């Protein structure tokens, strides 16, 4: 059950309208790393979570993400407020109105289609989709994904802060960016509160492949580091690689019933290529006469 408090979680102070900036801010409204995607990701995870601590945390953060969606949506609405009334009342001359609506981004689409209100799209006008919710139902897998999602959102907020001089917007975006940091900390604490959190799932890896580093990209710039060498790794360079790794023949095989094998053999015989043929084709006909060598 939800109860809406009409006060925002953080005060929105917009100095002046800016439809172009509004369209860019939609990245955090209806984009893949935006607040709606985060809220839906954590809600669906929380509803299915069996651990009471993680369930409470996920539902808390999901609810807060909805409040962040409200903050971003309010900023977008304020940035579009003047353009919305100008368009609705035809208050500007045609050329001037057109210039104001095509100032940048997809601000003209926001004004014409959505009347200046915040739309569930990203900054390019692509509609929000549930495909942004990438939960897998395993807590170690999902928490790592959540940490990455909060990290991406934090970077997007940094970039949005960099493109505006409006102090009120900078302040509100700084608050939202900082909350992404706090959520990332919560998810990391929850991940490491599980004693066995790597690898994800129940099954262990296949030895020795779980400690094998394959140096498959060789040449200038080849480097070594803790990600490829040390006590946890067995490094294999390209020239030392055993292919296939399992020591088998490395071919794809399947056992077919005898009747299917006969049809496969018949199809193979029917479609067999003749390596000794050199048929005249449309390419040959369209190429024209052969070019004579000037040396001759």
């Amino acid at each position: 059950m939800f109860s809406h408090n009409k006060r925002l979680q953080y005060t929105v102070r917009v100095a002046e309208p800016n439809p172009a900036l509004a369209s860019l801010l939609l990245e955090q409204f209806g984009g893949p790393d935006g607040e709606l995607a985060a809220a839906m990701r954590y809600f669906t995870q929380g509803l299915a979570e069996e651990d009471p601590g993680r369930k409470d945390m996920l539902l808390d953060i999901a609810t807060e993400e909805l409040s962040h969606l409200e903050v971003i949506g309010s900023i977008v609405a304020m940035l579009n407020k003047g353009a919305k009334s100008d368009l609705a009342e035809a208050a500007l001359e045609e050329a001037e109105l057109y210039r104001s609506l095509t100032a940048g981004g997809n601000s003209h689409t926001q004004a014409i289609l959505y009347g200046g209100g915040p739309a569930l799209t990203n900054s390019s006008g692509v509609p929000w989709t549930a495909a942004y919710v990438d939960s897998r139902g395993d807590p170690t897998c999902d928490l790592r994904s959540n940490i990455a999602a909060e990290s991406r959102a934090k970077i997007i907020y940094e970039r949005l802060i960099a493109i505006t001089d409006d102090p009120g917007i900078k302040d509100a975006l700084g608050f939202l960016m900082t909350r992404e940091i706090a959520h990332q900390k919560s998810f990391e604490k929850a991940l490491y509160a599980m004693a066995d959190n790597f690898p994800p799932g129940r099954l262990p890896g296949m030895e020795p492949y779980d400690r094998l580093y394959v140096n498959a990209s060789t040449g200038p710039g080849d480097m070594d580091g803790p990600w490829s060498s040390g006590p946890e790794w067995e490094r294999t360079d390209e020239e030392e690689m055993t292919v296939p790794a399992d020591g088998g023949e490395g071919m794809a095989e399947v056992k077919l019933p005898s009747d299917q094998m006969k049809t496969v053999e018949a199809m193979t015989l029917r479609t067999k290529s003749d390596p000794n043929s050199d048929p005249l084709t449309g390419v040959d006909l369209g190429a024209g006469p052969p070019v004579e060598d000037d040396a001759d």
Side-chain angles (χ1 to χ4, degrees):
M1 175 179 171
F2 289 91
S3 177
H4 179 255
N5 186 324
K6 293 182 177 60
R7 291 182 299 171
L8 298 174
Q9 190 184 19
Y10 203 82
T11 303
V12 170
R13 300 180 181 90
V14 176
E16 60 183 4
N18 188 335
L21 178 60
S23 72
L24 296 177
L25 289 177
L26 285 175
E27 195 64 37
Q28 290 303 86
F29 195 76
D33 300 312
E35 303 295 353
L36 179 63
M40 294 301 99
R41 182 184 294 114
Y42 308 149
F43 262 126
T44 53
Q45 290 175 14
L47 293 173
E49 179 60 69
E50 298 295 334
D51 181 84
R54 289 196 299 271
K55 187 181 188 77
D56 182 50
M57 175 196 67
L58 286 163
L59 294 178
D60 281 342
I61 295 178
T63 305
E64 186 182 357
E65 300 289 17
L66 284 180
S67 73
H68 295 173
L69 185 73
E70 186 179 25
V71 172
I72 282 288
S74 297
I75 295 174
V76 171
M78 295 301 100
L79 286 169
N80 279 330
K81 199 174 186 69
K84 177 181 179 179
S85 59
D86 287 343
L87 182 65
E89 302 302 321
L92 301 176
E93 294 294 331
E94 180 179 351
E96 189 178 353
L97 183 58
Y98 180 78
R99 280 197 301 272
S100 71
L101 296 181
T102 58
N106 68 323
S107 55
H108 55 290
T109 304
Q110 299 304 312
I112 299 299
L113 289 184
Y114 309 114
L120 287 177
T121 71
N122 69 1
S123 57
S124 298
V126 178
W128 188 88
T129 170
Y132 295 155
V133 179
D134 56 359
S135 304
R136 293 296 177 267
D138 176 87
T140 64
C141 180
D142 286 343
L143 285 170
R144 284 187 169 88
S145 179
N146 296 351
I147 292 166
E150 295 290 329
S151 301
R152 292 192 299 269
K154 194 264 186 183
I155 294 300
I156 298 298
Y157 274 123
E158 277 196 19
R159 293 171 181 171
L160 290 172
I161 289 170
I163 62 174
T164 179
D165 293 326
D166 189 315
I169 293 178
K170 277 183 176 289
D171 184 49
L173 295 182
F175 167 77
L176 296 174
M177 180 197 72
T178 305
R179 293 306 298 156
E180 309 293 353
I181 299 172
H183 295 165
Q184 185 177 340
K185 288 165 61 176
S186 292
F187 289 139
E188 288 218 19
K189 290 291 186 181
L191 174 63
Y192 287 97
M194 289 182 282
D196 299 320
N197 64 68
F198 187 84
R202 182 178 58 86
L203 298 176
M206 297 171 59
E207 294 187 355
Y209 310 126
D210 60 347
R211 60 177 182 271
L212 178 65
Y213 184 88
V214 179
N215 184 32
S217 175
T218 58
D222 213 14
M223 295 191 67
D224 200 8
W227 54 84
S228 60
S229 63
E232 296 181 356
W233 296 105
E234 291 182 9
R235 182 185 174 107
T236 299
D237 292 313
E238 183 181 31
E239 60 272 11
E240 302 170 351
M241 276 192 250
T242 300
V243 179
D246 62 353
E249 295 182 359
M251 303 300 291
E253 300 177 356
V254 61
K255 291 185 178 180
L256 295 175
S258 58
D259 56 340
Q260 278 194 329
M261 181 59 74
K262 289 179 180 178
T263 60
V264 169
E265 291 172 349
M267 181 190 69
T268 303
L269 181 62
R270 179 176 60 81
T271 59
K272 181 179 179 181
S273 297
D274 180 2
N276 298 315
S277 68
D278 186 12
L280 184 67
T281 68
V283 172
D284 301 313
L285 295 172
V291 178
E292 295 183 3
D293 192 341
D294 293 339
D296 295 339

